[in-house]
Amino acid sequence: MSSIRSSLAGARGLGSAKSGTGHFWAQRVSAIALAPLTLWFVICLASQFGASYDSVTEWLSSPIQASLLAIYLAAIFFHAQLGLQTVLEDYVHAEGIKMASLIGLQLLNILLAVSAVVSVLMILVGAA
């Protein structure tokens, strides 16, 4: 039985990287987690519409609300990282630019996620 993989692909190492399934499932699980969290966030956001700064910080000073918001933010940045990584891997063909973009994207995503979660924690601790 012959292989469908060409000898050139094997020589270049263009066969399966064996990591696509894990990436696929991580993206699907994070999307499923984001569905109820987004619904919660939209409802909470609507309930705070027109509220004063003090009212919003009081709402966010609840450990449950702050925890859910921190989890939501972490899940958003994780899901965004997975999606943007897929786009870069699929559409950027120059290896040097692709690698630099992937590293830069990951660093930027980590920086933004940590900043967002720390901001929630600062409001939580500052309001207590």
mmCIF file with all atom_site columns, all heavy atoms in Angstrom, residues 45-69:
data_model
loop_
_atom_site.group_PDB
_atom_site.id
_atom_site.type_symbol
_atom_site.label_atom_id
_atom_site.label_alt_id
_atom_site.label_comp_id
_atom_site.label_asym_id
_atom_site.label_entity_id
_atom_site.label_seq_id
_atom_site.pdbx_PDB_ins_code
_atom_site.Cartn_x
_atom_site.Cartn_y
_atom_site.Cartn_z
_atom_site.occupancy
_atom_site.B_iso_or_equiv
_atom_site.pdbx_formal_charge
_atom_site.auth_seq_id
_atom_site.auth_comp_id
_atom_site.auth_asym_id
_atom_site.auth_atom_id
_atom_site.pdbx_PDB_model_num
ATOM 1   N N   . LEU A 1 45 ? -23.500 43.865 32.250 1.00 0.00 ? 45 LEU A N   1
ATOM 2   C CA  . LEU A 1 45 ? -23.216 45.147 31.609 1.00 0.00 ? 45 LEU A CA  1
ATOM 3   C C   . LEU A 1 45 ? -24.503 45.941 31.399 1.00 0.00 ? 45 LEU A C   1
ATOM 4   O O   . LEU A 1 45 ? -24.547 47.146 31.656 1.00 0.00 ? 45 LEU A O   1
ATOM 5   C CB  . LEU A 1 45 ? -22.515 44.899 30.276 1.00 0.00 ? 45 LEU A CB  1
ATOM 6   C CG  . LEU A 1 45 ? -21.702 46.019 29.666 1.00 0.00 ? 45 LEU A CG  1
ATOM 7   C CD1 . LEU A 1 45 ? -20.567 46.419 30.597 1.00 0.00 ? 45 LEU A CD1 1
ATOM 8   C CD2 . LEU A 1 45 ? -21.159 45.596 28.323 1.00 0.00 ? 45 LEU A CD2 1
ATOM 9   N N   . ALA A 1 46 ? -25.545 45.262 30.976 1.00 0.00 ? 46 ALA A N   1
ATOM 10  C CA  . ALA A 1 46 ? -26.838 45.923 30.774 1.00 0.00 ? 46 ALA A CA  1
ATOM 11  C C   . ALA A 1 46 ? -27.403 46.432 32.102 1.00 0.00 ? 46 ALA A C   1
ATOM 12  O O   . ALA A 1 46 ? -28.002 47.511 32.151 1.00 0.00 ? 46 ALA A O   1
ATOM 13  C CB  . ALA A 1 46 ? -27.811 44.969 30.104 1.00 0.00 ? 46 ALA A CB  1
ATOM 14  N N   . SER A 1 47 ? -27.193 45.652 33.168 1.00 0.00 ? 47 SER A N   1
ATOM 15  C CA  . SER A 1 47 ? -27.715 46.076 34.476 1.00 0.00 ? 47 SER A CA  1
ATOM 16  C C   . SER A 1 47 ? -26.957 47.289 35.025 1.00 0.00 ? 47 SER A C   1
ATOM 17  O O   . SER A 1 47 ? -27.481 48.019 35.862 1.00 0.00 ? 47 SER A O   1
ATOM 18  C CB  . SER A 1 47 ? -27.656 44.927 35.480 1.00 0.00 ? 47 SER A CB  1
ATOM 19  O OG  . SER A 1 47 ? -26.319 44.682 35.882 1.00 0.00 ? 47 SER A OG  1
ATOM 20  N N   . GLN A 1 48 ? -25.725 47.502 34.560 1.00 0.00 ? 48 GLN A N   1
ATOM 21  C CA  . GLN A 1 48 ? -24.920 48.628 35.034 1.00 0.00 ? 48 GLN A CA  1
ATOM 22  C C   . GLN A 1 48 ? -24.969 49.823 34.086 1.00 0.00 ? 48 GLN A C   1
ATOM 23  O O   . GLN A 1 48 ? -24.304 50.824 34.318 1.00 0.00 ? 48 GLN A O   1
ATOM 24  C CB  . GLN A 1 48 ? -23.459 48.186 35.217 1.00 0.00 ? 48 GLN A CB  1
ATOM 25  C CG  . GLN A 1 48 ? -23.254 47.120 36.268 1.00 0.00 ? 48 GLN A CG  1
ATOM 26  C CD  . GLN A 1 48 ? -23.646 47.599 37.649 1.00 0.00 ? 48 GLN A CD  1
ATOM 27  O OE1 . GLN A 1 48 ? -23.384 48.741 38.033 1.00 0.00 ? 48 GLN A OE1 1
ATOM 28  N NE2 . GLN A 1 48 ? -24.297 46.735 38.404 1.00 0.00 ? 48 GLN A NE2 1
ATOM 29  N N   . PHE A 1 49 ? -25.775 49.725 33.033 1.00 0.00 ? 49 PHE A N   1
ATOM 30  C CA  . PHE A 1 49 ? -25.864 50.800 32.050 1.00 0.00 ? 49 PHE A CA  1
ATOM 31  C C   . PHE A 1 49 ? -26.347 52.083 32.722 1.00 0.00 ? 49 PHE A C   1
ATOM 32  O O   . PHE A 1 49 ? -27.378 52.108 33.388 1.00 0.00 ? 49 PHE A O   1
ATOM 33  C CB  . PHE A 1 49 ? -26.806 50.409 30.910 1.00 0.00 ? 49 PHE A CB  1
ATOM 34  C CG  . PHE A 1 49 ? -26.868 51.423 29.806 1.00 0.00 ? 49 PHE A CG  1
ATOM 35  C CD1 . PHE A 1 49 ? -25.816 51.540 28.917 1.00 0.00 ? 49 PHE A CD1 1
ATOM 36  C CD2 . PHE A 1 49 ? -27.943 52.268 29.673 1.00 0.00 ? 49 PHE A CD2 1
ATOM 37  C CE1 . PHE A 1 49 ? -25.842 52.472 27.897 1.00 0.00 ? 49 PHE A CE1 1
ATOM 38  C CE2 . PHE A 1 49 ? -27.994 53.204 28.665 1.00 0.00 ? 49 PHE A CE2 1
ATOM 39  C CZ  . PHE A 1 49 ? -26.936 53.312 27.769 1.00 0.00 ? 49 PHE A CZ  1
ATOM 40  N N   . GLY A 1 50 ? -25.588 53.140 32.563 1.00 0.00 ? 50 GLY A N   1
ATOM 41  C CA  . GLY A 1 50 ? -25.952 54.429 33.145 1.00 0.00 ? 50 GLY A CA  1
ATOM 42  C C   . GLY A 1 50 ? -25.611 54.569 34.616 1.00 0.00 ? 50 GLY A C   1
ATOM 43  O O   . GLY A 1 50 ? -25.900 55.595 35.220 1.00 0.00 ? 50 GLY A O   1
ATOM 44  N N   . ALA A 1 51 ? -25.013 53.551 35.200 1.00 0.00 ? 51 ALA A N   1
ATOM 45  C CA  . ALA A 1 51 ? -24.671 53.596 36.622 1.00 0.00 ? 51 ALA A CA  1
ATOM 46  C C   . ALA A 1 51 ? -23.433 54.460 36.837 1.00 0.00 ? 51 ALA A C   1
ATOM 47  O O   . ALA A 1 51 ? -22.629 54.662 35.925 1.00 0.00 ? 51 ALA A O   1
ATOM 48  C CB  . ALA A 1 51 ? -24.419 52.180 37.141 1.00 0.00 ? 51 ALA A CB  1
ATOM 49  N N   . SER A 1 52 ? -23.281 54.937 38.041 1.00 0.00 ? 52 SER A N   1
ATOM 50  C CA  . SER A 1 52 ? -22.122 55.759 38.375 1.00 0.00 ? 52 SER A CA  1
ATOM 51  C C   . SER A 1 52 ? -20.888 54.871 38.552 1.00 0.00 ? 52 SER A C   1
ATOM 52  O O   . SER A 1 52 ? -20.990 53.651 38.694 1.00 0.00 ? 52 SER A O   1
ATOM 53  C CB  . SER A 1 52 ? -22.384 56.535 39.662 1.00 0.00 ? 52 SER A CB  1
ATOM 54  O OG  . SER A 1 52 ? -22.472 55.635 40.758 1.00 0.00 ? 52 SER A OG  1
ATOM 55  N N   . TYR A 1 53 ? -19.736 55.510 38.570 1.00 0.00 ? 53 TYR A N   1
ATOM 56  C CA  . TYR A 1 53 ? -18.479 54.792 38.778 1.00 0.00 ? 53 TYR A CA  1
ATOM 57  C C   . TYR A 1 53 ? -18.498 54.060 40.119 1.00 0.00 ? 53 TYR A C   1
ATOM 58  O O   . TYR A 1 53 ? -18.087 52.904 40.210 1.00 0.00 ? 53 TYR A O   1
ATOM 59  C CB  . TYR A 1 53 ? -17.306 55.778 38.717 1.00 0.00 ? 53 TYR A CB  1
ATOM 60  C CG  . TYR A 1 53 ? -15.971 55.151 39.054 1.00 0.00 ? 53 TYR A CG  1
ATOM 61  C CD1 . TYR A 1 53 ? -15.286 54.416 38.093 1.00 0.00 ? 53 TYR A CD1 1
ATOM 62  C CD2 . TYR A 1 53 ? -15.411 55.282 40.321 1.00 0.00 ? 53 TYR A CD2 1
ATOM 63  C CE1 . TYR A 1 53 ? -14.068 53.829 38.393 1.00 0.00 ? 53 TYR A CE1 1
ATOM 64  C CE2 . TYR A 1 53 ? -14.194 54.697 40.627 1.00 0.00 ? 53 TYR A CE2 1
ATOM 65  C CZ  . TYR A 1 53 ? -13.528 53.973 39.660 1.00 0.00 ? 53 TYR A CZ  1
ATOM 66  O OH  . TYR A 1 53 ? -12.336 53.387 39.961 1.00 0.00 ? 53 TYR A OH  1
ATOM 67  N N   . ASP A 1 54 ? -18.987 54.731 41.150 1.00 0.00 ? 54 ASP A N   1
ATOM 68  C CA  . ASP A 1 54 ? -19.039 54.117 42.479 1.00 0.00 ? 54 ASP A CA  1
ATOM 69  C C   . ASP A 1 54 ? -19.944 52.883 42.490 1.00 0.00 ? 54 ASP A C   1
ATOM 70  O O   . ASP A 1 54 ? -19.629 51.883 43.135 1.00 0.00 ? 54 ASP A O   1
ATOM 71  C CB  . ASP A 1 54 ? -19.530 55.136 43.517 1.00 0.00 ? 54 ASP A CB  1
ATOM 72  C CG  . ASP A 1 54 ? -18.526 56.250 43.750 1.00 0.00 ? 54 ASP A CG  1
ATOM 73  O OD1 . ASP A 1 54 ? -17.308 55.997 43.554 1.00 0.00 ? 54 ASP A OD1 1
ATOM 74  O OD2 . ASP A 1 54 ? -18.951 57.370 44.112 1.00 0.00 ? 54 ASP A OD2 1
ATOM 75  N N   . SER A 1 55 ? -21.043 52.957 41.758 1.00 0.00 ? 55 SER A N   1
ATOM 76  C CA  . SER A 1 55 ? -21.963 51.823 41.695 1.00 0.00 ? 55 SER A CA  1
ATOM 77  C C   . SER A 1 55 ? -21.315 50.628 40.996 1.00 0.00 ? 55 SER A C   1
ATOM 78  O O   . SER A 1 55 ? -21.451 49.487 41.437 1.00 0.00 ? 55 SER A O   1
ATOM 79  C CB  . SER A 1 55 ? -23.237 52.238 40.957 1.00 0.00 ? 55 SER A CB  1
ATOM 80  O OG  . SER A 1 55 ? -24.076 51.127 40.768 1.00 0.00 ? 55 SER A OG  1
ATOM 81  N N   . VAL A 1 56 ? -20.594 50.899 39.927 1.00 0.00 ? 56 VAL A N   1
ATOM 82  C CA  . VAL A 1 56 ? -19.934 49.817 39.182 1.00 0.00 ? 56 VAL A CA  1
ATOM 83  C C   . VAL A 1 56 ? -18.806 49.209 40.011 1.00 0.00 ? 56 VAL A C   1
ATOM 84  O O   . VAL A 1 56 ? -18.663 47.985 40.067 1.00 0.00 ? 56 VAL A O   1
ATOM 85  C CB  . VAL A 1 56 ? -19.416 50.318 37.816 1.00 0.00 ? 56 VAL A CB  1
ATOM 86  C CG1 . VAL A 1 56 ? -18.615 49.240 37.108 1.00 0.00 ? 56 VAL A CG1 1
ATOM 87  C CG2 . VAL A 1 56 ? -20.577 50.774 36.946 1.00 0.00 ? 56 VAL A CG2 1
ATOM 88  N N   . THR A 1 57 ? -18.021 50.039 40.670 1.00 0.00 ? 57 THR A N   1
ATOM 89  C CA  . THR A 1 57 ? -16.938 49.488 41.509 1.00 0.00 ? 57 THR A CA  1
ATOM 90  C C   . THR A 1 57 ? -17.504 48.729 42.699 1.00 0.00 ? 57 THR A C   1
ATOM 91  O O   . THR A 1 57 ? -16.912 47.748 43.138 1.00 0.00 ? 57 THR A O   1
ATOM 92  C CB  . THR A 1 57 ? -15.970 50.586 41.987 1.00 0.00 ? 57 THR A CB  1
ATOM 93  O OG1 . THR A 1 57 ? -16.701 51.618 42.625 1.00 0.00 ? 57 THR A OG1 1
ATOM 94  C CG2 . THR A 1 57 ? -15.155 51.135 40.845 1.00 0.00 ? 57 THR A CG2 1
ATOM 95  N N   . GLU A 1 58 ? -18.636 49.161 43.212 1.00 0.00 ? 58 GLU A N   1
ATOM 96  C CA  . GLU A 1 58 ? -19.284 48.416 44.302 1.00 0.00 ? 58 GLU A CA  1
ATOM 97  C C   . GLU A 1 58 ? -19.744 47.051 43.797 1.00 0.00 ? 58 GLU A C   1
ATOM 98  O O   . GLU A 1 58 ? -19.588 46.036 44.472 1.00 0.00 ? 58 GLU A O   1
ATOM 99  C CB  . GLU A 1 58 ? -20.476 49.206 44.850 1.00 0.00 ? 58 GLU A CB  1
ATOM 100 C CG  . GLU A 1 58 ? -21.184 48.505 45.989 1.00 0.00 ? 58 GLU A CG  1
ATOM 101 C CD  . GLU A 1 58 ? -22.386 49.293 46.486 1.00 0.00 ? 58 GLU A CD  1
ATOM 102 O OE1 . GLU A 1 58 ? -22.376 50.530 46.400 1.00 0.00 ? 58 GLU A OE1 1
ATOM 103 O OE2 . GLU A 1 58 ? -23.346 48.642 46.950 1.00 0.00 ? 58 GLU A OE2 1
ATOM 104 N N   . TRP A 1 59 ? -20.321 47.019 42.592 1.00 0.00 ? 59 TRP A N   1
ATOM 105 C CA  . TRP A 1 59 ? -20.740 45.748 41.999 1.00 0.00 ? 59 TRP A CA  1
ATOM 106 C C   . TRP A 1 59 ? -19.541 44.833 41.789 1.00 0.00 ? 59 TRP A C   1
ATOM 107 O O   . TRP A 1 59 ? -19.590 43.645 42.070 1.00 0.00 ? 59 TRP A O   1
ATOM 108 C CB  . TRP A 1 59 ? -21.441 46.028 40.658 1.00 0.00 ? 59 TRP A CB  1
ATOM 109 C CG  . TRP A 1 59 ? -21.638 44.808 39.824 1.00 0.00 ? 59 TRP A CG  1
ATOM 110 C CD1 . TRP A 1 59 ? -22.593 43.853 39.972 1.00 0.00 ? 59 TRP A CD1 1
ATOM 111 C CD2 . TRP A 1 59 ? -20.837 44.398 38.707 1.00 0.00 ? 59 TRP A CD2 1
ATOM 112 N NE1 . TRP A 1 59 ? -22.449 42.875 39.017 1.00 0.00 ? 59 TRP A NE1 1
ATOM 113 C CE2 . TRP A 1 59 ? -21.379 43.194 38.231 1.00 0.00 ? 59 TRP A CE2 1
ATOM 114 C CE3 . TRP A 1 59 ? -19.733 44.943 38.071 1.00 0.00 ? 59 TRP A CE3 1
ATOM 115 C CZ2 . TRP A 1 59 ? -20.840 42.516 37.142 1.00 0.00 ? 59 TRP A CZ2 1
ATOM 116 C CZ3 . TRP A 1 59 ? -19.202 44.271 36.989 1.00 0.00 ? 59 TRP A CZ3 1
ATOM 117 C CH2 . TRP A 1 59 ? -19.756 43.064 36.532 1.00 0.00 ? 59 TRP A CH2 1
ATOM 118 N N   . LEU A 1 60 ? -18.429 45.409 41.316 1.00 0.00 ? 60 LEU A N   1
ATOM 119 C CA  . LEU A 1 60 ? -17.236 44.615 41.034 1.00 0.00 ? 60 LEU A CA  1
ATOM 120 C C   . LEU A 1 60 ? -16.479 44.236 42.308 1.00 0.00 ? 60 LEU A C   1
ATOM 121 O O   . LEU A 1 60 ? -15.616 43.367 42.273 1.00 0.00 ? 60 LEU A O   1
ATOM 122 C CB  . LEU A 1 60 ? -16.312 45.370 40.075 1.00 0.00 ? 60 LEU A CB  1
ATOM 123 C CG  . LEU A 1 60 ? -15.232 44.570 39.387 1.00 0.00 ? 60 LEU A CG  1
ATOM 124 C CD1 . LEU A 1 60 ? -15.797 43.333 38.700 1.00 0.00 ? 60 LEU A CD1 1
ATOM 125 C CD2 . LEU A 1 60 ? -14.493 45.418 38.385 1.00 0.00 ? 60 LEU A CD2 1
ATOM 126 N N   . SER A 1 61 ? -16.817 44.847 43.426 1.00 0.00 ? 61 SER A N   1
ATOM 127 C CA  . SER A 1 61 ? -16.128 44.511 44.675 1.00 0.00 ? 61 SER A CA  1
ATOM 128 C C   . SER A 1 61 ? -16.615 43.184 45.247 1.00 0.00 ? 61 SER A C   1
ATOM 129 O O   . SER A 1 61 ? -16.022 42.672 46.198 1.00 0.00 ? 61 SER A O   1
ATOM 130 C CB  . SER A 1 61 ? -16.306 45.629 45.701 1.00 0.00 ? 61 SER A CB  1
ATOM 131 O OG  . SER A 1 61 ? -17.658 45.711 46.106 1.00 0.00 ? 61 SER A OG  1
ATOM 132 N N   . SER A 1 62 ? -17.656 42.622 44.666 1.00 0.00 ? 62 SER A N   1
ATOM 133 C CA  . SER A 1 62 ? -18.114 41.291 45.076 1.00 0.00 ? 62 SER A CA  1
ATOM 134 C C   . SER A 1 62 ? -17.108 40.254 44.580 1.00 0.00 ? 62 SER A C   1
ATOM 135 O O   . SER A 1 62 ? -16.757 40.248 43.393 1.00 0.00 ? 62 SER A O   1
ATOM 136 C CB  . SER A 1 62 ? -19.489 41.011 44.468 1.00 0.00 ? 62 SER A CB  1
ATOM 137 O OG  . SER A 1 62 ? -19.773 39.627 44.493 1.00 0.00 ? 62 SER A OG  1
ATOM 138 N N   . PRO A 1 63 ? -16.642 39.377 45.453 1.00 0.00 ? 63 PRO A N   1
ATOM 139 C CA  . PRO A 1 63 ? -15.670 38.357 45.011 1.00 0.00 ? 63 PRO A CA  1
ATOM 140 C C   . PRO A 1 63 ? -16.196 37.459 43.891 1.00 0.00 ? 63 PRO A C   1
ATOM 141 O O   . PRO A 1 63 ? -15.437 37.056 43.012 1.00 0.00 ? 63 PRO A O   1
ATOM 142 C CB  . PRO A 1 63 ? -15.405 37.533 46.273 1.00 0.00 ? 63 PRO A CB  1
ATOM 143 C CG  . PRO A 1 63 ? -15.767 38.432 47.400 1.00 0.00 ? 63 PRO A CG  1
ATOM 144 C CD  . PRO A 1 63 ? -16.871 39.307 46.898 1.00 0.00 ? 63 PRO A CD  1
ATOM 145 N N   . ILE A 1 64 ? -17.479 37.183 43.897 1.00 0.00 ? 64 ILE A N   1
ATOM 146 C CA  . ILE A 1 64 ? -18.048 36.327 42.849 1.00 0.00 ? 64 ILE A CA  1
ATOM 147 C C   . ILE A 1 64 ? -18.008 37.055 41.508 1.00 0.00 ? 64 ILE A C   1
ATOM 148 O O   . ILE A 1 64 ? -17.587 36.479 40.492 1.00 0.00 ? 64 ILE A O   1
ATOM 149 C CB  . ILE A 1 64 ? -19.487 35.907 43.209 1.00 0.00 ? 64 ILE A CB  1
ATOM 150 C CG1 . ILE A 1 64 ? -19.447 34.966 44.409 1.00 0.00 ? 64 ILE A CG1 1
ATOM 151 C CG2 . ILE A 1 64 ? -20.182 35.248 42.024 1.00 0.00 ? 64 ILE A CG2 1
ATOM 152 C CD1 . ILE A 1 64 ? -20.796 34.600 44.961 1.00 0.00 ? 64 ILE A CD1 1
ATOM 153 N N   . GLN A 1 65 ? -18.439 38.316 41.494 1.00 0.00 ? 65 GLN A N   1
ATOM 154 C CA  . GLN A 1 65 ? -18.437 39.079 40.247 1.00 0.00 ? 65 GLN A CA  1
ATOM 155 C C   . GLN A 1 65 ? -17.013 39.279 39.736 1.00 0.00 ? 65 GLN A C   1
ATOM 156 O O   . GLN A 1 65 ? -16.750 39.121 38.541 1.00 0.00 ? 65 GLN A O   1
ATOM 157 C CB  . GLN A 1 65 ? -19.116 40.448 40.436 1.00 0.00 ? 65 GLN A CB  1
ATOM 158 C CG  . GLN A 1 65 ? -20.542 40.371 40.905 1.00 0.00 ? 65 GLN A CG  1
ATOM 159 C CD  . GLN A 1 65 ? -21.492 39.741 39.906 1.00 0.00 ? 65 GLN A CD  1
ATOM 160 O OE1 . GLN A 1 65 ? -21.124 39.351 38.811 1.00 0.00 ? 65 GLN A OE1 1
ATOM 161 N NE2 . GLN A 1 65 ? -22.745 39.635 40.287 1.00 0.00 ? 65 GLN A NE2 1
ATOM 162 N N   . ALA A 1 66 ? -16.094 39.614 40.634 1.00 0.00 ? 66 ALA A N   1
ATOM 163 C CA  . ALA A 1 66 ? -14.704 39.826 40.228 1.00 0.00 ? 66 ALA A CA  1
ATOM 164 C C   . ALA A 1 66 ? -14.084 38.528 39.712 1.00 0.00 ? 66 ALA A C   1
ATOM 165 O O   . ALA A 1 66 ? -13.351 38.538 38.715 1.00 0.00 ? 66 ALA A O   1
ATOM 166 C CB  . ALA A 1 66 ? -13.897 40.382 41.397 1.00 0.00 ? 66 ALA A CB  1
ATOM 167 N N   . SER A 1 67 ? -14.382 37.422 40.358 1.00 0.00 ? 67 SER A N   1
ATOM 168 C CA  . SER A 1 67 ? -13.853 36.125 39.914 1.00 0.00 ? 67 SER A CA  1
ATOM 169 C C   . SER A 1 67 ? -14.386 35.753 38.534 1.00 0.00 ? 67 SER A C   1
ATOM 170 O O   . SER A 1 67 ? -13.627 35.312 37.666 1.00 0.00 ? 67 SER A O   1
ATOM 171 C CB  . SER A 1 67 ? -14.216 35.024 40.911 1.00 0.00 ? 67 SER A CB  1
ATOM 172 O OG  . SER A 1 67 ? -13.626 35.264 42.155 1.00 0.00 ? 67 SER A OG  1
ATOM 173 N N   . LEU A 1 68 ? -15.690 35.924 38.342 1.00 0.00 ? 68 LEU A N   1
ATOM 174 C CA  . LEU A 1 68 ? -16.270 35.610 37.037 1.00 0.00 ? 68 LEU A CA  1
ATOM 175 C C   . LEU A 1 68 ? -15.699 36.505 35.944 1.00 0.00 ? 68 LEU A C   1
ATOM 176 O O   . LEU A 1 68 ? -15.417 36.035 34.835 1.00 0.00 ? 68 LEU A O   1
ATOM 177 C CB  . LEU A 1 68 ? -17.791 35.729 37.087 1.00 0.00 ? 68 LEU A CB  1
ATOM 178 C CG  . LEU A 1 68 ? -18.524 34.592 37.782 1.00 0.00 ? 68 LEU A CG  1
ATOM 179 C CD1 . LEU A 1 68 ? -20.013 34.929 37.937 1.00 0.00 ? 68 LEU A CD1 1
ATOM 180 C CD2 . LEU A 1 68 ? -18.352 33.289 37.028 1.00 0.00 ? 68 LEU A CD2 1
ATOM 181 N N   . LEU A 1 69 ? -15.512 37.789 36.263 1.00 0.00 ? 69 LEU A N   1
ATOM 182 C CA  . LEU A 1 69 ? -14.938 38.702 35.265 1.00 0.00 ? 69 LEU A CA  1
ATOM 183 C C   . LEU A 1 69 ? -13.491 38.323 34.945 1.00 0.00 ? 69 LEU A C   1
ATOM 184 O O   . LEU A 1 69 ? -13.084 38.340 33.782 1.00 0.00 ? 69 LEU A O   1
ATOM 185 C CB  . LEU A 1 69 ? -15.029 40.149 35.734 1.00 0.00 ? 69 LEU A CB  1
ATOM 186 C CG  . LEU A 1 69 ? -14.579 41.200 34.728 1.00 0.00 ? 69 LEU A CG  1
ATOM 187 C CD1 . LEU A 1 69 ? -15.338 41.078 33.409 1.00 0.00 ? 69 LEU A CD1 1
ATOM 188 C CD2 . LEU A 1 69 ? -14.738 42.592 35.309 1.00 0.00 ? 69 LEU A CD2 1
#
